Amino acid sequence: MYGTSELEKLYAGKTKDVYRLKNGNILLQFTNKTTINDEGVEDPGGNNVGKEVAGSARACVLMTQYFFKLFAEAGIPTHLIAVDVDRLQMEVKPVTTIGKELFTNATGGIEWIWRNRITGSFFRMFGRYNKNLKDGDVLPSPLVHATVKDDGAGDPYIEKDFLGALNILSADDYELLKKYTQTAGQILFDEFQKMGCDIWDFKIEFGRDYGGNLILIDEIGPGSARVYQSGRKMEKVKIGALFG
């Protein structure tokens, strides 16, 4: 789709590099970098960059392409314009990340988490209060909540009222994004079930286009989800292989 040597590089992320295109759009160039937690284990919620894993970039592009199409069909608008799987690229609309301008750290913004099971940061945070909880327990119903993208603080949870008080997101907009995330979660759950897999949780991000509309941005790759098959956590490349 595009050569990157003459493009303006906006920044290098944990798993992809971001460029500005001459037509005003944005190019996401995916890499094989992975995220790991503080224990050095590959983790969708990890805040550190781990070793490169061959094929993980392709897996991310394939999964994002697959699900963004389904999301759009379900009424969830996205920033996606075009995909080049071979070049590991996505051309997307320019957006304003929700809340980013209000944060002083470089990664600022808000992420949305869909959880079907108790695991990750949720288990670490709340497992201490209920000794009967076990990592992997199924929740009574899927849970949706927001977190602040702040690696230094461990991506803390943030509630609707706080987002409103900080002028980041109105109550109506919060409910809309919660609805979008719930819809996306049901789609992911159903699709993985068809493939004999079980998704435990995932994270997504929203922004505003130049018209002020709330849209799904970034990606929905295997690095942003925990997926299990036959009781075992699947590797990113194996998840990606399900989609291409």
Side-chain angles (χ1 to χ4, degrees):
M1 189 156 51
Y2 294 99
T4 59
S5 60
E6 297 182 0
L7 297 178
E8 177 189 0
K9 189 173 185 178
L10 299 178
Y11 65 90
K14 295 173 187 173
T15 59
K16 59 185 174 295
D17 297 330
V18 181
Y19 297 86
R20 191 189 311 279
L21 295 173
K22 295 177 181 179
N23 63 9
N25 293 330
I26 300 297
L27 182 71
L28 305 182
Q29 178 67 63
F30 289 84
T31 71
N32 286 323
K33 292 181 290 186
T34 60
T35 55
I36 58 174
N37 58 30
D38 292 338
E39 287 71 45
V41 178
E42 187 175 323
D43 187 347
N47 292 321
N48 307 304
V49 178
K51 65 179 181 180
E52 291 196 4
V53 176
S56 61
R58 183 179 177 85
C60 188
V61 173
L62 286 170
M63 182 172 163
T64 300
Q65 177 181 242
Y66 183 91
F67 281 110
F68 270 35
K69 181 177 183 293
L70 294 181
F71 293 162
E73 292 172 352
I76 304 173
T78 81
H79 69 164
L80 183 60
I81 295 174
V83 175
D84 187 326
V85 176
D86 292 331
R87 284 180 176 263
L88 308 176
Q89 294 177 344
M90 285 172 43
E91 181 176 353
V92 300
K93 300 175 184 176
V95 297
T96 301
T97 304
I98 294 172
K100 185 167 185 176
E101 70 278 6
L102 300 177
F103 292 94
T104 56
N105 66 75
T107 60
I110 304 295
E111 284 183 322
W112 292 77
I113 315 296
W114 179 94
R115 299 187 184 279
N116 188 49
R117 291 178 182 256
I118 296 171
T119 193
S121 64
F122 189 89
F123 179 70
R124 291 192 296 271
M125 183 176 296
F126 298 110
R128 72 186 70 180
Y129 301 120
N130 186 338
K131 63 182 181 181
N132 295 318
L133 289 180
K134 297 185 294 296
D135 191 2
D137 281 350
V138 178
L139 288 161
S141 60
L143 174 68
V144 171
H145 66 89
T147 66
V148 180
K149 291 182 67 175
D150 185 346
D151 293 350
D155 298 332
Y157 293 21
I158 188 166
E159 298 294 334
K160 175 172 69 174
D161 290 345
F162 293 143
L163 288 166
L166 294 170
N167 294 316
I168 295 173
L169 207 60
S170 71
D172 287 345
D173 285 346
Y174 178 96
E175 292 300 329
L176 176 61
L177 297 188
K178 182 177 179 180
K179 178 182 177 181
Y180 282 163
T181 306
Q182 289 170 330
T183 300
Q186 191 62 55
I187 291 171
L188 281 156
F189 181 83
D190 291 343
E191 291 299 308
F192 277 115
Q193 285 284 298
K194 294 175 187 176
M195 300 172 184
C197 304
D198 183 26
I199 185 167
W200 284 23
D201 60 11
F202 70 87
K203 61 183 179 181
I204 53 178
E205 193 171 350
F206 295 93
R208 293 188 188 274
D209 63 18
Y210 284 171
N213 303 299
L214 290 166
I215 62 175
L216 179 62
I217 64 172
D218 203 35
E219 66 194 69
I220 182 67
S224 58
R226 291 184 179 90
V227 180
Y228 284 70
Q229 188 175 52
S230 301
R232 300 186 65 178
K233 186 177 179 182
M234 295 181 68
E235 298 175 353
K236 289 175 64 175
V237 175
K238 291 184 178 180
I239 298 172
L242 298 171
F243 304 100

